[in-house]
Amino acid sequence: MNKPLRRAAVFCLALIVALMGWVTWLQGAKASDYKEDPHNPRVTIGKYSAPLGNILVGGEPVTGSATTSDTLKYKRTYKDGPLYAPVTGFTSQIFGSNQLESLYGDLLDGSDSRLQTPADALTRERAKGGDVATTIDAAVQKAGYRALGDKKGAAVAMDPATGRILGMVSTPSYDPGTFAGSSSADQKAWRKMSGDTEDPEVNRALRQPLPPGSTFKLVVAAAALEDGLYTSVDEPTHSPDPYTLPNTRTKLTNENAAAPCKNADIRTALQYSCNTVFAKMAVDLGKDKVKAQADKFGFNDGKVDTPVRAGKSVYPGNMDEAQTALSGIGQFDDQATPLQMAMVSSAIANGGELKTPQLVDKLTDGGGNTVQENEPKTYGDGKAMSARTAQQLRSAMQTVVDKGTGSGAKIDGLTVGGKTGTAQHGVDNSGTPYAWFVSYAEDGKGHRVAVAVMVEDGHAARNEVSGNGLAGPIARAMMKAALPS
């Protein structure tokens, strides 16, 4: 063979070797990347080639699958879609998925490796989709949804002993089944939802941090008792009325001018929601001590996963004393989600121990066999406060319901504690205030439930907005459903 031919042969052989190496690399190292690439139509075709597994509430599916006449053989369906959308999220042939539908997409469509049998591995067939069993109590969920009605807001109910989320409602809601397919009607439904100025797709229970108003006074009270600034909820404080914000001429007053707020003890200050007491208390403690207590409840933690990640609730650290005073009554730059305030109430109800909020009980394969079971977990370092502080706050919260601003939450046969809140909204408080209610109930048999409700817009006149009037009845309905007498 002459020299030019030999060179050409070697070059061609090198090209063949390179091509074989490239193909081997694609089929080996990169195969899973291409297989899982969302732009690969085979991924979507495979996902919808068989019925999806289901999301369960109380052991019953609130999702399903329906046949289609298209290339994507099945599409997702939802039972009581608007009721459970804040729990399930959505999965759409065109618009993807979110929340539980997204987090457990591999389990639901059968591609999770934990579902594969040896036969599935050999045939490269997808396993039957598995199921996601939630912690939601259908009665609690329905009670909260009905009570919120046409109000814009959210509510969360938790089992303090386990952290299980029993109810998670957000309104206005949406029906994920209306855009689960790929038809023009599905696309129209998506455009309608995403263009709605009321933002129905936002999960307000988890993802809408707002000023918590006077419900934050529970955090300040816990900090004062834990620090030893006051030894009891019945010890008088050193609180003028009105209270001049430090280094300013601004006088802070109370909503009820006749309330006995001057030097009031913590019990009385919670009963009448005395701004002056808790503003000065926050200043006396200092922002660092209040922040340390807030952090124990979950504030400033950007990784609270239920497993759906919650929006971060914030207690700011960079404040002067006047700002610290306002933060002590849940204003200035304080931000909290309903889930966060349910965590505060849950820790108080559970003797100071805060459990991590949990939305999923277990995962099962297509045959009902458990793949993963979620046990209760303690949040943080174990204790948000001492058992004594928790008992003191429970007692004071009971006074709020029995004799104070939270009377709308009373339930015959149950011991109920609560705290109302009305948070300022808009420049110079020009908007309609947010109404809050944070509470817990116990039945005398060791069963307890903690609830937080936020009403962002109750369609009420400004002077009619109150935590007791708007948010209290919603909390009452959920507590009554959780602990039926």
Side-chain angles (χ1 to χ4, degrees):
M1 182 182 294
N2 61 36
K3 198 170 185 178
L5 286 175
R6 186 167 60 250
R7 286 177 177 174
V10 171
F11 178 70
C12 289
L13 180 61
L15 288 178
I16 292 171
V17 171
L19 179 62
M20 292 176 65
W22 174 253
V23 170
T24 301
W25 183 69
L26 284 178
Q27 293 182 339
K30 295 293 289 181
S32 61
D33 291 346
Y34 286 111
K35 182 179 179 182
E36 296 170 6
D37 190 324
H39 297 97
N40 182 353
R42 291 188 178 185
V43 174
T44 305
I45 291 171
K47 180 180 181 69
Y48 296 106
S49 63
L52 297 172
N54 288 309
I55 297 174
L56 312 178
V57 170
E60 297 296 325
V62 296
T63 58
S65 295
T67 57
T68 74
S69 57
D70 299 326
T71 304
L72 305 179
K73 294 182 179 179
Y74 291 86
K75 72 172 184 176
R76 186 54 119 183
T77 61
Y78 294 87
K79 177 183 177 182
D80 295 324
L83 172 64
Y84 290 112
V87 177
T88 62
F90 66 79
T91 191
S92 167
Q93 293 177 344
I94 301 177
F95 304 108
S97 59
N98 72 351
Q99 297 191 184
L100 295 185
E101 290 276 32
S102 175
L103 291 172
Y104 297 109
D106 290 349
L107 180 98
L108 293 165
D109 68 21
S111 62
D112 190 319
S113 60
R114 293 174 295 179
L115 306 182
Q116 283 196 333
T117 65
D120 294 328
L122 287 173
T123 62
R124 294 192 176 183
E125 294 289 329
R126 282 181 186 248
K128 182 181 178 182
D131 293 338
V132 178
T134 71
T135 59
I136 295 294
D137 182 317
V140 177
Q141 185 77 5
K142 290 175 183 177
Y145 186 72
R146 284 194 298 264
L148 266 165
D150 63 353
K151 304 175 186 70
K152 182 193 292 186
V156 175
M158 286 177 60
D159 177 351
T162 63
R164 290 163 57 93
I165 297 175
L166 305 177
M168 187 169 69
V169 183
S170 177
T171 56
S173 189
Y174 65 96
D175 186 350
T178 60
F179 53 85
S182 55
S183 69
S184 59
D186 290 277
Q187 296 176 56
K188 182 179 179 180
W190 172 266
R191 289 193 297 270
K192 180 180 179 181
M193 182 198 71
S194 57
D196 192 330
T197 57
E198 295 294 298
D199 299 321
E201 76 280 9
V202 174
N203 187 336
R204 289 174 166 81
L206 296 181
R207 306 289 306 173
Q208 184 74 76
L210 293 171
S214 292
T215 61
F216 191 77
K217 292 169 182 175
L218 293 170
V219 178
V220 179
L225 293 169
E226 288 291 278
D227 178 68
L229 179 64
Y230 297 105
T231 59
S232 163
V233 292
D234 297 308
E235 179 185 343
T237 64
H238 307 290
S239 311
D241 183 11
Y243 172 58
T244 302
L245 299 182
N247 304 312
T248 75
R249 295 180 180 179
T250 303
K251 292 186 181 296
L252 182 68
T253 59
N254 297 298
E255 189 73 22
N256 180 358
C261 292
K262 185 176 181 179
N263 298 327
D265 55 41
I266 292 174
R267 183 189 302 277
T268 302
L270 288 173
Q271 178 183 346
Y272 290 93
S273 202
C274 298
N275 291 332
T276 50
V277 173
F278 291 99
K280 184 174 185 297
M281 194 180 297
V283 172
D284 290 345
L285 286 165
K287 62 180 185 293
D288 292 340
K289 289 181 179 179
V290 178
K291 182 179 181 298
Q293 182 62 60
D295 288 353
K296 289 183 179 181
F297 286 119
F299 281 83
N300 302 308
D301 183 351
K303 296 182 179 180
V304 177
D305 297 329
T306 65
V308 179
R309 179 154 292 181
K312 184 164 73 171
S313 297
V314 176
Y315 179 79
N318 186 21
M319 298 181 289
D320 60 27
E321 286 193 328
Q323 293 165 339
T324 299
L326 293 175
S327 76
I329 59 173
Q331 295 292 166
F332 186 53
D333 286 341
D334 293 7
Q335 298 281 305
T337 62
L339 176 69
Q340 174 60 79
M341 296 313 299
M343 291 169 69
V344 171
S345 183
S346 183
I348 293 170
N350 196 43
E353 183 178 2
L354 175 58
K355 295 295 185 179
T356 300
Q358 180 175 294
L359 183 57
V360 174
D361 186 20
K362 64 179 179 178
L363 311 178
T364 59
D365 63 17
N369 303 303
T370 298
V371 173
Q372 176 182 317
E373 192 158 10
N374 296 329
E375 297 294 332
K377 296 179 181 179
T378 299
Y379 180 83
D381 62 4
K383 279 283 188 180
M385 73 197 91
S386 69
R388 183 179 185 277
T389 293
Q391 186 278 326
Q392 291 263 307
L393 291 178
R394 286 198 303 275
S395 175
M397 290 172 72
Q398 290 169 27
T399 301
V400 172
V401 172
D402 292 342
K403 302 177 181 179
T405 57
S407 59
K410 289 181 182 179
I411 303 173
D412 290 342
L414 299 180
T415 299
V416 180
K419 180 68 192 83
T420 57
T422 306
Q424 293 182 3
H425 173 210
V427 178
D428 295 326
N429 196 22
S430 58
T432 303
Y434 305 125
W436 284 86
F437 196 82
V438 173
S439 59
Y440 78 91
E442 53 183 308
D443 63 3
K445 301 176 183 177
H447 303 131
R448 292 176 177 170
V449 62
V451 177
V453 178
M454 179 275 298
V455 177
E456 189 175 340
D457 183 0
H459 307 296
R462 180 187 177 85
N463 61 355
E464 295 175 351
V465 173
S466 72
N468 186 48
L470 285 179
I474 300 165
R476 182 181 186 276
M478 296 181 81
M479 290 187 290
K480 192 172 181 179
L483 300 175
S485 54

